[in-house]
Every structure is written in C-alpha cells, then in structure tokens.
Amino acid sequence: MSPLSLPPVPEAFQLPFHYGALHHLGIDWLVAPEPVRELLATHHPDLSAAEFDGRALVSFNYQLYFAQYAFGGGVTQEIEYNVIAFPTAEGDRIPQLTYAQYAQGWDQTKLLGIARIHVLCDNPFAISAGRALYAEPKYPGWFEVDLPSLNGPAGETWTVHGKAAGTSPDGTLERSETPLFSLRAALDDTAAALANNTPITGYGTCPDGRVLAGPMNVYQPYRWYDLSAPEHADRVHLTVHAVDHDLGRDLRSLVTDTPAAGAWTYQSPPVAAHNRPYYLPTRRPADR
C-alpha cells in the first residue's frame, strides 16, 4: 500500500491555525442511533456513529475566538452541529466507553471525533478556510449572545441566538433577521469536572469522497458538566425557529424534546487587566 499524501494547504492559508483566545460551549445529547446513522451516511459515508450504552451522541457547540494576523486581528463566531463518529475501517480500535468516560477524555486513540453536519460562521475568511482546509460544511450565519464574562455580571449561563446570513459579491457578510435557533444553557451552581479531552478530531468528507481528519489542541482542560440527573433536565433549552432550514430540520430530527446529557465549556484566561483608577491628591490654593 502506498503512503497517503497530506492534503494541500492553499496559498492563502497557513497551518497550524493558532487561536489567540477561545470561548467555547458544547451541548451533548444521547439519542436513538438509527436516525443518526441515516444522517451520517448522507454526509460522511465512510464514518460510523459511535454508541454509548446503545445510544448515539450528537453535539451542538458555539465558539467565539480571536486570532492575531500580520495585518492585525480578527474575531469569529460559529456553531457546529456534529455527530460523534469514527472511521468505519478503524472499528476494531474503538474502546468501549460510557458517555461520561468519553466526555472526560478517556479515548486516547482520538478516533472518536466530531463528524460535522452543519457549521454556521460569521467570518467569510473563516468559512473559506474551513471549506478549503478541513472540508467543513460551512456557510454564513451570525449570532447574538449573552455569555459568562469577567467583564459582565457573575454567572455561568450561556445564551446564543443564531440567525441566517449570506455573502455579498465582494465577499462580505450580509446579515438577515431570520432567526434559526436559540440555545440557552444555565450551568450556574452546577458541579463541573476537569476534562482532558483534546485533541479533538474533526472529520470532513471532501467532494471526491476522501475523509479528512483534523485534530484541534486546546492547551488547558475543559469543564464538563454531567446533566444526566433528572434535576438538570431543564438546564438546557434548544429552540428551532426555522424548521424548514437544513440545520433546523436536522436538529429537530434528532434532539427534539431530548434532555441534554452533558455540557462542556472552555474560556481562555485573561492575559492582562486594566485596573480601577484612583484620584491623586490636589494642592489647595493656599499651599501653592
């Protein structure tokens, strides 16, 4: 067997891509496996859906990230709708894990990865990069959010509203007011476990049918929230507004009315702080 060649890196891009900061929320649902297998076969025929105690796993995650370039900086937001899957040809190497074990990084083969079904993004350059480098099914969207922040009120509630968008002939994002989905995860007062779960392997299928595997390293642990107990059933709410949109249709087909099994978050630590000012004493006229 001849050795595999590495996928080309188009001239406009450079790898690895370095994140200057990352704020990341993921929600996992354990669902019936057969509809997941059917969806995965449509998008990634050489991948198989992973199962955890007889259930398939889908994830919906939001990212806000910053990158510094030679010309300056850029901020990007995106969401991914994924199926947890593995290369079918590698099935004999997949460990038998519970969902909680997988979520905390027990799979050291890293073959259990995210097979991307939909990726919405508000940065046209990032859309082009995702398509060209990783065969991501990436298209325009934009977001209104309310996130946990050291520069905001205390709390661990994440709210993300996704809306439709397009691109103009000159390549800029054109926003629409059409709502696609709303996601709210109230993780306040919920115990979290540190999860050493990266690198995360992301799978994409090229137009010629070849499968790409692209690992992403995050250099500090994630926080994983076990939401399997009945008292956590109302912590996550996902509302699909555009039921006829491809994303909305696939969301509704798999996770309608299913309580979330877990959530995971990562927020880059601050690198500097501009502190509160103070007054200097002034001299009174008689002292001058």
Side-chain angles (χ1 to χ4, degrees), residues 86-97 106-112 203:
F86 59 88
T88 303
E90 301 284 353
D92 58 349
R93 296 180 55 203
I94 304 302
Q96 295 295 313
L97 300 175
W106 285 34
D107 172 30
Q108 290 304 305
T109 72
K110 299 308 177 185
L111 290 171
L112 293 175
Y203 291 116

Side-chain angles (χ1 to χ4, degrees), residues 20-64:
L22 172 65
H23 300 271
H24 201 177
L25 165 72
I27 305 296
D28 293 333
W29 289 271
L30 289 165
V31 298
E34 188 56 36
V36 176
R37 294 191 199 107
E38 294 175 0
L39 181 66
L40 191 63
T42 301
H43 293 267
H44 304 287
D46 286 334
L47 299 178
S48 293
E51 292 190 23
F52 304 91
D53 295 324
R55 308 291 282 178
L57 184 63
V58 296
S59 72
F60 194 59
N61 70 72
Y62 163 80
Q63 300 178 36
L64 165 65

